[in-house]
Amino acid sequence: MRVLLVGDHPPPFGGVAIHVQQLHRFLRSREVEAKVLDIGKGGRPVPDVLPMRGPAHFALRLTGFLASGWTVHVHTSGNNPKAWLLAAAVGSPPGARAPRFITLHSGLLPDYLAAAPSRRAFARVALAGYSRIIAVSAAVRDALVSCGIPEEKLLVHPAFCASQVQAGAVPVRVEAARARRRPLLVMAHHPSPVYGRKLAFRALRLLTESHRGVGLALFGPGTDSEDFLRDARELGVAGPLEPLGELEHPAALGLIARSDVFLRPTTHDGDSISVREALALGVPCVASDVCERPEGTRLFRAGDATSLAATVREAVAAGPLRVASPDVGPVLLDMYEALSPRPAPVRPVPVTW
């Protein structure tokens, strides 16, 4: 069994990249020969993670792996043209000696495909060469069915490897934030409006009325930007904020593990790895009701700051919650083994004397 993962690999620490990293580690822990074609920005050297230096380099390396019989598993968002060009590039080459799989991660995928018939037609062609297509949610699966993808090819599994969730050491600034805030709320930040920064700030303003020591720690890109600082000033929450910038993933898990509540105020979502990570670490999670969430998540009405603040109060009062977390690693490994071709049996050569 030889498995090639194609997708982003940290850094930076986005959801797809984290899943690729964790799945790679899981496969190696099971003594599977596994490599990654890193099509992201390319970070520090990691064993068996191969940074790609452009489309020609990617095509050359991919062709070699396909010709050598490697099982290939693509991980991409599915919410932009680049993602679908990648899907087509891996799924189209004929003559592959092993099956190909793809996981589509983004909660924006249904809206992207619904916007134009040409997008749905291209998705149907791009996915034709894959043995199995993994959707991270029922909404993503339904969007793919609407494109004409055969339902027998589609599976729904969260992009989550519970066995790989391990909180790491944290920087001094994280310990300091923990020491001065009660309760300490945490959310993953990104400049995109999809992540719900303004909504979180409005809810935080409401929470300061009932929890004077409350603080909101944010990790991720853009916490030192002018837009971030302007929103904090205009919404009156500069005081209780703890902007931490980008953290290494183990440190981000360490921060979540030390928090009282994890927030996910997104306007759209697929199957958020960070939500499942928080639950696996025993941290209460409050998330928008824009999609199906894991068992144990407390939901608030999307876009409603009052509902978010009230739900956070409930989560703080209830305290830690431990729930069983799924691990897609064994599921994928079984699928790889079931669909990979078996070597032909060696027939004994008759010996004559």
Side-chain angles (χ1 to χ4, degrees):
M1 174 64 63
R2 298 178 299 171
V3 178
L4 178 71
L5 305 177
V6 178
D8 290 359
H9 187 279
F13 295 90
V16 176
I18 291 299
H19 181 61
V20 169
Q21 180 187 56
Q22 292 183 339
L23 182 55
H24 186 224
R25 289 176 177 171
F26 168 81
L27 293 172
R28 287 165 62 89
S29 74
R30 294 296 185 93
E31 299 184 351
V32 174
E33 186 178 0
K35 297 183 184 294
V36 178
L37 290 190
D38 180 10
I39 60 172
K41 295 181 179 179
R44 64 185 64 86
V46 178
D48 291 324
V49 175
L50 313 175
M52 297 295 97
R53 299 190 297 271
H57 182 224
F58 171 73
L60 181 63
R61 296 305 301 267
L62 174 66
T63 300
F65 281 106
L66 289 173
S68 299
W70 284 63
T71 294
V72 177
H73 190 162
V74 178
H75 293 265
T76 191
S77 62
N79 65 7
N80 57 67
K82 182 180 177 181
W84 287 105
L85 289 173
L86 171 66
V90 180
S92 298
R97 295 169 47 199
R100 284 163 282 185
F101 305 90
I102 187 169
T103 296
L104 296 163
H105 289 254
S106 178
L108 295 171
L109 178 149
D111 288 349
Y112 175 82
L113 292 180
S118 59
R119 293 180 178 180
R120 296 191 293 276
F122 188 82
R124 183 169 61 251
V125 173
L127 297 176
Y130 290 93
S131 301
R132 291 290 184 273
I133 301 157
I134 299 98
V136 297
S137 70
V140 171
R141 178 201 57 200
D142 293 345
L144 296 173
V145 170
S146 73
C147 297
I149 306 299
E151 292 191 44
E152 60 270 17
K153 280 191 172 185
L154 289 164
L155 301 169
V156 178
H157 288 294
F160 187 62
C161 294
S163 62
Q164 305 302 306
V165 177
Q166 298 178 353
V170 297
V172 172
R173 65 185 187 276
V174 171
E175 295 287 12
R178 170 68 279 182
R180 61 177 163 254
R181 305 296 186 182
R182 287 289 187 277
L184 177 64
L185 317 178
V186 169
M187 68 174 278
H189 178 266
H190 190 278
S192 169
V194 170
Y195 278 69
R197 178 178 71 212
K198 287 187 177 182
L199 180 67
F201 286 1
R202 293 189 185 101
L204 180 62
R205 178 67 181 271
L206 297 173
L207 287 166
T208 59
E209 299 172 3
S210 56
H211 296 75
R212 296 185 59 129
V214 68
L216 173 60
L218 304 99
F219 66 93
T223 59
D224 58 352
S225 69
E226 286 298 324
D227 288 343
F228 182 98
L229 298 173
R230 183 199 64 237
D231 289 347
R233 289 192 302 267
E234 291 180 355
L235 296 171
V237 293
L241 289 183
E242 298 283 355
L244 299 172
E246 295 195 62
L247 298 174
E248 296 281 336
H249 188 238
L253 293 180
L255 167 63
I256 294 172
R258 288 163 172 78
S259 69
D260 297 296
V261 178
F262 181 77
L263 305 185
R264 185 72 175 178
T266 44
T267 62
H268 295 76
D269 236 330
D271 185 83
S272 170
I273 289 179
S274 58
V275 167
R276 292 189 181 274
E277 286 173 332
L279 293 173
L281 292 168
V283 176
C285 184
V286 173
S288 57
D289 61 359
V290 295
C291 64
E292 186 176 351
R293 300 292 189 179
E295 180 183 356
T297 310
R298 292 179 178 269
L299 302 180
F300 73 93
R301 292 188 299 275
D304 188 332
T306 301
S307 175
L308 172 53
T311 310
V312 169
R313 292 189 187 100
E314 294 172 1
V316 169
L321 172 67
R322 180 73 67 173
V323 298
S325 298
D327 195 322
V328 75
V331 176
L332 295 177
L333 184 55
D334 288 345
M335 184 172 63
Y336 299 154
E337 292 178 338
L339 295 178
S340 293
R342 301 297 182 192
V346 178
R347 296 182 179 181
V349 177
V351 177
T352 57
W353 300 96

